[in-house]
């Protein structure tokens, strides 16, 4: 099974993935650009702050690159945006966990502070949620393309039942017949005894 086969290109979930990737990508791009405009040292760990977060040139560069990756996912859309969101969201969460343990150590080359760790968790969960929306849950509706892809036999059975039901109703009768008159806009519903 290829990821690109799971979701039709024009499916409404693709819009959610694109918005999530675009919104989070813009936030990271702005943070990275602000870091570069402050002319921070690349490996500087003196606590320079941008938008309430400690940063340096390396973190600004990483923010720019990740923001561009998310923006590219938003432009491409569909399953690519969803997969990019899930991957980047997971990396943000992992970064938050790693940096909790190295906050005041020499290994903290990105100059993370506790506000950065919290930002990593919040942004990671946000991006991950956008990526998994409508794709990963136990209660997907049966018309969801991911549910249909994972349950092809049941989806085919439901489609066949739907076709049988439509065939049993037959085409609408326009004239004659002995059954009740169908409701139309001009006549409204047929009242009992009428």
């Amino acid at each position: 099974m290829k990821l690109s086969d799971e979701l039709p290109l024009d499916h409404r979930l693709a819009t959610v993935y694109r918005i999530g990737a675009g919104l989070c990508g813009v936030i990271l791009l702005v943070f990275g650009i602000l870091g570069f405009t402050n002319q921070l040292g690349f490996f500087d760990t003196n606590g320079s702050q941008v938008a309430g977060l400690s940063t340096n040139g390396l973190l600004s560069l990483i923010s720019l690159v990740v923001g561009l990756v998310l923006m590219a996912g938003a432009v491409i859309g569909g399953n690519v945006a969803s997969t990019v969101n899930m991957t980047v969201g997971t990396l943000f969460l992992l970064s938050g966990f790693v940096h909790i343990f190295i906050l005041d150590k020499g290994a903290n080359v990105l100059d993370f502070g506790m506000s950065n760790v919290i930002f990593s968790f919040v942004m990671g969960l946000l991006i991950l949620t956008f990526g998994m929306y409508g794709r990963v849950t136990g209660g997907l509706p049966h018309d969801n393309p991911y549910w249909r892809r994972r349950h092809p036999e049941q989806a085919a059975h439901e489609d066949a039942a739907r076709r049988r039901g439509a065939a049993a109703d037959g085409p609408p009768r326009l004239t004659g017949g002995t059954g009740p008159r169908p409701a139309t806009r001009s006549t409204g519903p047929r009242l009992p005894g009428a």
Side-chain angles (χ1 to χ4, degrees), residues 163-187:
R163 282 192 300 272
R164 280 192 304 272
D169 292 341
R173 290 181 290 181
L174 300 177
T175 59
T178 59
R181 181 181 69 189
T184 64
R185 271 193 196 158
S186 61
T187 62

Side-chain angles (χ1 to χ4, degrees):
M1 167 172 59
K2 294 191 307 190
L3 276 175
S4 60
D5 294 338
E6 286 189 38
L7 183 67
L9 292 177
D10 61 345
H11 196 274
R12 64 186 180 271
L13 289 174
T15 304
V16 174
Y17 305 145
R18 289 183 121 158
I19 289 171
L23 175 71
C24 296
V26 165
I27 291 170
L28 292 173
L29 282 173
V30 168
F31 179 75
I33 290 170
L34 288 175
F36 279 121
T37 58
N38 285 348
Q39 299 175 347
L40 303 170
F42 205 69
F43 291 106
D44 195 12
T45 58
N46 66 0
S48 300
Q49 293 210 344
V50 171
L53 301 172
S54 59
T55 188
N56 60 18
L58 181 58
L59 184 57
S60 296
L61 178 65
I62 291 171
S63 297
L64 276 175
V65 170
V66 173
L68 288 172
V69 167
L70 285 169
M71 293 299 292
V75 168
I76 295 169
N79 290 328
V80 171
S82 174
T83 303
V84 166
N85 285 344
M86 287 192 296
T87 303
V88 170
T90 302
L91 291 174
F92 262 83
L93 290 176
L94 290 174
S95 172
F97 281 117
V98 166
H99 282 92
I100 279 178
F101 296 107
I102 63 170
L103 275 179
D104 292 324
K105 306 222 174 12
N108 188 5
V109 295
L110 296 180
D111 195 27
F112 259 53
M114 188 49 117
S115 59
N116 296 70
V117 170
I118 292 170
F119 178 80
S120 274
F121 286 137
V122 171
M123 184 62 94
L125 287 173
L126 180 66
I127 297 170
L128 198 56
T129 300
F130 274 119
M132 292 192 302
Y133 182 78
R135 190 171 182 173
V136 180
T137 181
L140 293 174
H142 291 202
D143 67 338
N144 183 293
Y146 295 109
W147 183 91
R148 296 181 67 74
R149 182 73 172 180
R150 293 176 190 140
H151 305 92
E153 295 85 19
Q154 190 172 351
H157 178 67
E158 288 178 6
D159 288 343
R162 195 173 12 259
R163 282 192 300 272
R164 280 192 304 272
D169 292 341
R173 290 181 290 181
L174 300 177
T175 59
T178 59
R181 181 181 69 189
T184 64
R185 271 193 196 158
S186 61
T187 62
R190 183 168 172 110
L191 300 173

